[in-house]
Amino acid sequence: MKKLLPAYPGFTRRALTFTIDDANLKYDKIFIDIVRPYGIRGTFNLCADRMDREDGFYREFYNGFGIANHTNNHPYAIADNDRSEFVNEPAGNQPVDTDLFYLSPRGEGYYMKHTQRGWREWADDERYMDCVTSCQSRLERIFGRETVNGFVWPYCEQNNAKIKAFIKSLGFGSVRKTGDLLDTTDFALPDDRMAWSYNAHNTNLMEVMEKYDSAPDNGSLRFFAFGVHSWDFERDGDWEKLAAFAKKYGNRPTDYWYATVDEIFAYADAVKELKLTDKTLENPTELTLYVELDGVKTVIPPKTLLPI
Ligand SMILES: [Zn+2]
């Protein structure tokens, strides 16, 4: 039997992507203007309630990138083990107390609580589910039903079994819990798609990418994603760093496969479907696949049985 090694398009085993949250139009624009000329792609995780322009504007603005659901209103879900008391008065100038929920100006089912970073908003289970589904409907209306196949928890994965089950029931192909592995996995593809994390953020982007770039080829498909907000680059004065990153690592299609998060996961799934025998290699999937067969670069079109 011949030896089969998977590759991404371009016959590389390194994918490169980003995962950028929150639909911040001003800074997403600067981000896109930097990465797009270098062919770098990734996924924007959008809060539809922050998108106050017409649908067509966003289709054009995010064209060529992936889209995922980051909820409307960006709330925390109330954790199963949260024993905070509910106080029946509007949040305002109360003294700092991290164990009290006050009423949110957003209305019924929303609460405010002090955190280390100031006031934050929580939604009860019913409202939280609304935040997910209302965001999903708007994003699907804008970008098409099949396009919005990922979910990204606001803040991070919440300890709420009912909400976790609800998100699972919606059939997302991937769910990001939070981020920044830095990188403890040797850049393996995430083994749990329902709780995956990105590898680097703006402040250590170059450092982690250099590690990725110099990691020896181990014959398996690898994954590098950086996050997590376009405004992080503004806050930390890192736009030039992003530009240097794009210049150094962009436009190298035989070294990196530039794809959205969904595309990378879908490709990795498709590669697992390849069927190799002594005489044939079959690609039963809808994707064109790239492999090395005894070191020979081979392209297998969708739904094809290749004599070897
Ligand atoms: Zn967010």
Side-chain angles (χ1 to χ4, degrees):
M1 189 95 83
K2 291 193 174 180
K3 188 172 187 226
L4 176 72
L5 284 182
Y8 290 119
F11 293 104
T12 175
R13 272 183 276 280
R14 290 189 175 92
L16 196 163
T17 191
F18 58 76
T19 173
I20 293 288
D21 298 357
D22 289 359
N24 186 311
L25 202 57
K26 181 177 174 191
Y27 297 124
D28 282 0
K29 171 153 178 41
I30 302 176
F31 185 96
I32 289 172
D33 285 347
I34 291 173
V35 300
R36 191 177 253 154
Y38 293 94
I40 294 172
R41 299 175 61 229
T43 297
F44 288 93
N45 313 305
L46 304 178
C47 302
D49 66 300
R50 298 177 184 180
M51 298 163 66
D52 56 6
R53 302 207 191 185
E54 286 182 9
D55 293 359
F57 171 84
Y58 294 102
R59 261 195 298 276
E60 178 72 23
F61 185 84
Y62 290 110
N63 184 32
F65 299 106
I67 300 297
N69 181 332
H70 194 42
T71 75
N72 279 357
N73 305 329
H74 204 280
Y76 282 99
I78 298 174
D80 292 341
N81 58 355
D82 192 331
R83 297 286 168 260
S84 303
E85 275 181 57
F86 290 83
V87 180
N88 193 24
E89 60 181 87
N93 299 315
Q94 292 91 351
V96 173
D97 190 326
T98 56
D99 291 321
L100 298 177
F101 280 119
Y102 295 94
L103 303 176
S104 162
R106 200 184 295 282
E108 199 191 338
Y110 290 96
Y111 303 96
M112 305 294 286
K113 187 161 68 160
H114 280 289
T115 71
Q116 306 293 353
R117 295 176 176 182
W119 287 105
R120 289 290 184 273
E121 193 168 36
W122 270 255
D124 68 17
D125 290 353
E126 198 182 328
R127 298 311 178 294
Y128 196 94
M129 291 189 256
D130 280 350
C131 291
V132 177
T133 50
S134 55
C135 182
Q136 186 70 16
S137 338
R138 172 92 196 278
L139 294 180
E140 285 183 4
R141 197 180 79 204
I142 300 175
F143 299 102
R145 193 160 178 79
E146 298 301 314
T147 310
V148 191
N149 190 36
F151 180 77
V152 170
W153 290 93
Y155 306 107
C156 57
E157 184 184 75
Q158 303 292 295
N159 177 20
N160 180 318
K162 190 173 164 192
I163 296 297
K164 276 191 200 174
F166 171 72
I167 287 165
K168 200 173 173 191
S169 77
L170 296 180
F172 288 111
S174 73
V175 176
R176 203 191 81 211
K177 56 176 180 180
T178 177
D180 226 350
L181 296 166
L182 289 185
D183 177 86
T184 55
T185 64
D186 199 21
F187 304 101
L189 279 157
D191 51 11
D192 186 356
R193 299 271 177 82
M194 295 300 115
W196 73 278
S197 294
Y198 57 89
N199 306 82
H201 55 69
N202 61 305
T203 63
N204 51 37
L205 177 59
M206 279 302 202
E207 179 193 325
V208 182
M209 186 63 198
E210 276 161 26
K211 207 174 146 193
Y212 187 49
D213 198 38
S214 59
D217 182 7
N218 64 4
S220 56
L221 296 179
R222 282 190 153 127
F223 179 80
F224 175 91
F226 67 96
V228 64
H229 310 102
S230 53
W231 49 262
D232 297 337
F233 291 87
E234 174 73 15
R235 180 195 59 206
D236 298 334
D238 278 339
W239 290 121
E240 283 185 17
K241 195 188 283 180
L242 182 66
F245 173 87
K247 196 172 173 192
K248 187 168 180 186
Y249 297 107
N251 284 339
R252 291 167 56 180
T254 55
D255 293 327
Y256 304 107
W257 184 40
Y258 307 107
T260 70
V261 171
D262 270 356
E263 285 168 347
I264 296 170
F265 291 162
Y267 188 91
D269 286 344
V271 160
K272 287 190 191 138
E273 301 291 315
L274 280 170
K275 293 187 183 82
L276 178 68
T277 69
D278 288 342
K279 292 181 180 141
T280 59
L281 178 60
E282 184 184 1
N283 173 8
T285 79
E286 305 284 346
L287 297 179
T288 300
L289 299 177
Y290 298 71
V291 298
E292 287 170 31
L293 259 184
D294 277 354
V296 178
K297 290 175 178 171
T298 307
V299 180
I300 321 155
K303 305 276 180 198
T304 299
L305 184 70
L306 213 65
I308 56 171

